[in-house]
Amino acid sequence: MLNVVLSTAPADAAPAIAERIVSERLAACCNIVPKVESYYWWEGKVTHDAEALLIFKTPNERVPELTRRLQEVHPYEVPEILALDVASGLESYLGWACAEARPEGEQA
C-alpha cells in the first residue's frame, strides 16, 4: 500500500529536495505547500521558522530508503519525517504512485 511522508524544510531548499527524491524514484511525486509557519522546541527554547511542507507519496516498502535519503539531503540536523499509511484512495492513483516509485531498473 501507499504512504504519505511529510517533511518541513526551508522554503528555498524544498524544491531541490523534492526534485532529488522524485528523480531517484523514492517517491512518485511530491507536493510543496509554501509558507508554513512552524513553532517548535529546539535547544531549550521555542523557535519560529517560515518553512515549506513537502508531501511525498511512496509505497510502504520504499519508506525506509526514502527516510535515509531525506536525512542525507535535508539541511536540518533533525528533519521532520513522518510516514502515514494511506487507508484508502482512488485505486488507479494508488497503483500509479506505487508503480512510479519503484527501484531503478525494476519494471512496473
Side-chain angles (χ1 to χ4, degrees):
M1 191 47 100
L2 196 68
N3 266 241
V4 169
V5 177
L6 306 175
S7 185
T8 53
D12 61 343
I17 294 170
E19 177 76 24
R20 166 107 16 122
I21 296 297
V22 173
S23 69
E24 293 178 8
R25 290 194 175 269
L26 294 171
C29 66
C30 178
N31 305 107
I32 299 174
V33 181
K35 298 183 182 181
V36 174
E37 296 291 321
S38 297
Y39 292 79
Y40 54 94
W41 280 97
W42 184 250
E43 298 180 342
K45 64 180 181 185
V46 175
T47 302
H48 170 257
D49 283 311
E51 299 179 303
L53 174 64
L54 295 104
I55 307 170
F56 298 98
K57 284 71 152 209
T58 194
N60 294 1
E61 64 270 11
R62 300 291 279 169
V63 170
E65 190 175 357
L66 170 59
T67 299
R68 279 191 301 277
R69 188 67 171 131
L70 193 50
Q71 286 178 291
E72 292 172 0
V73 301
H74 203 288
Y76 291 167
E77 182 180 338
V78 181
E80 173 187 17
I81 303 173
L82 303 173
L84 310 171
D85 287 324
V86 173
S88 65
L90 180 66
E91 287 299 321
S92 57
Y93 179 83
L94 298 174
W96 168 81
C98 288
E100 292 304 323
R102 66 188 180 277
E104 197 63 38
E106 189 175 292
Q107 295 295 319

